[in-house]
């Protein structure tokens, strides 16, 4: 027999699916919790990279002064995301795949992610705002040349451009601005959206955390998928789904049916 809490959860999933089906401009907004089921631990918290390293090594000024201290951390993050030295690359999980499927079907207009692991792109999301950049390339701080960030590059103690300049990976360091266009694109989506699904984000990293707040002020329905409540839950969320991302998206997708 179905328990009371399972029944309640089923009802919430059904209501979420109805909101998603009825949305004119559906957006998704994801954070670290999205990638946990792909084997990527959140940077903050248990097993995270910041339990092992001082986050200050990924401060832009510190990087420019002591790049040799930053690169071992960058290398470790890179291997975790894209694989190297016998470790396979992380794979998109069911939640990434469902979002890409909804976009392909015309159901989902924009995905905004705070993650730099590239898994939304790998799953096939196209209209994607990578709010904190990504790990695919690095840019010379002197001449602006862009080079691929690959396993070979991370093997150098400090990768250098042919011009001798320092190469910085194209994800956002602490003390660095949001990539040109990303903030504008995210805000534009937040203004247009009438339904935003938050997934795996704690709502504590600004300015990203302000995007769902903007959507809410503009009247959007806010759905949150998170195993635990977040900073958003009490303040702006209309429908809280206390589940891991993969299972929640599979069930919502099944309730939506084909389009
Ligand atoms: Zn250069």
């Amino acid at each position: 027999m179905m328990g009371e809490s399972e029944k309640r959860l089923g009802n919430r999933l059904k209501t979420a699916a109805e909101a998603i089906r009825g949305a004119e401009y559906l957006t998704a907004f994801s954070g670290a919790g999205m990638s946990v089921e792909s084997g990527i631990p959140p940077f903050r918290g248990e097993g995270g990279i910041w339990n092992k390293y001082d986050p200050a090594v990924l401060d832009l000024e510190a990087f420019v002064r002591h790049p040799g201290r930053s690169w071992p951390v960058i290398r470790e993050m890179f291997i975790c995301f894209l694989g190297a030295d016998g470790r396979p690359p992380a794979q998109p999980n069911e939640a990434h795949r469902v979002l890409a499927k909804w976009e392909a079907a015309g159901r989902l207009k924009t995905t905004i992610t705070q993650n730099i692991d590239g898994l939304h792109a790998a799953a096939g999301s196209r209209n994607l705002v990578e709010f904190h950049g990504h790990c695919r390339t690095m840019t010379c701080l002197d001449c602006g040349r862009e080079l691929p960030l690959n396993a070979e590059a991370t093997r150098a103690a400090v990768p250098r451009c042919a011009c001798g300049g320092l190469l910085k990976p194209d994800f956002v360091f602490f003390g660095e601005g949001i990539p040109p266009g990303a903030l504008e694109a995210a805000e534009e989506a937040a203004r247009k959206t009438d339904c935003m699904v938050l997934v795996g984000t704690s709502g504590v990293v600004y300015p990203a955390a302000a995007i769902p707040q903007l959507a809410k002020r503009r009247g959007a329905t806010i759905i949150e998928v998170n195993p635990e409540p977040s900073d958003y839950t009490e303040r702006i969320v209309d429908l809280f789904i206390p589940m891991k991302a993969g299972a929640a998206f599979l069930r919502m997708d099944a309730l939506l049916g084909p389009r």
Side-chain angles (χ1 to χ4, degrees), residues 33 36 92 94 111 133 160 174 188 192:
V36 169
E94 299 294 358
T111 300
R160 295 259 172 201
F174 297 114
E188 196 196 335
K192 282 190 197 161

Side-chain angles (χ1 to χ4, degrees), residues 139-147 160-167:
T139 299
C140 174
L141 293 181
D142 285 350
C143 74
R145 183 196 299 209
E146 191 185 284
L147 292 167
R160 295 259 172 201
C161 177
C163 82
L166 205 51
L167 290 162

Side-chain angles (χ1 to χ4, degrees), residues 34-221:
M34 179 88 192
S35 298
V36 169
E37 289 162 89
S38 293
I40 298 175
F43 291 178
R44 294 154 211 279
E46 200 75 25
I49 210 160
W50 301 139
N51 283 352
K52 228 164 50 171
Y53 295 104
D54 181 355
V57 296
L58 289 188
D59 178 271
L60 186 59
E61 265 181 60
F63 175 73
V64 170
R65 258 182 287 132
H66 305 290
R69 292 182 197 166
S70 310
W71 273 99
V73 184
I74 296 168
R75 176 173 170 71
E76 191 163 322
M77 285 167 44
F78 174 87
I79 289 174
C80 183
F81 300 156
L82 293 160
D85 303 341
R87 187 190 165 107
Q91 297 296 327
N93 62 52
E94 299 294 358
H96 293 105
R97 280 195 279 269
V98 167
L99 285 177
K101 176 184 158 185
W102 289 355
E103 184 187 323
R107 234 192 252 288
L108 174 70
K109 297 290 188 286
T110 303
T111 300
I112 304 162
T113 187
Q114 299 164 81
N115 301 337
I116 59 171
D117 51 42
L119 291 176
H120 281 291
S125 288
R126 297 273 177 272
N127 198 359
L128 178 63
V129 181
E130 289 175 314
F131 202 84
H132 291 148
H134 57 79
C135 281
R136 292 184 291 275
T137 52
M138 47 190 181
T139 299
C140 174
L141 293 181
D142 285 350
C143 74
R145 183 196 299 209
E146 191 185 284
L147 292 167
L149 175 55
N150 52 31
E152 196 192 315
T154 68
R155 269 191 266 281
V158 176
R160 295 259 172 201
C161 177
C163 82
L166 205 51
L167 290 162
K168 186 200 145 293
D170 289 329
F171 59 81
V172 175
F173 279 36
F174 297 114
E176 195 183 11
I178 301 305
L183 185 61
E184 293 78 358
E187 285 178 347
E188 196 196 335
R191 272 187 228 105
K192 282 190 197 161
T193 191
D194 57 345
C195 182
M196 182 178 271
V197 186
L198 314 183
V199 46
T201 177
S202 52
V204 295
V205 179
Y206 280 86
I211 298 299
Q213 294 165 7
L214 174 58
K216 178 70 178 180
R217 279 200 304 279
R218 303 287 288 218
T221 299

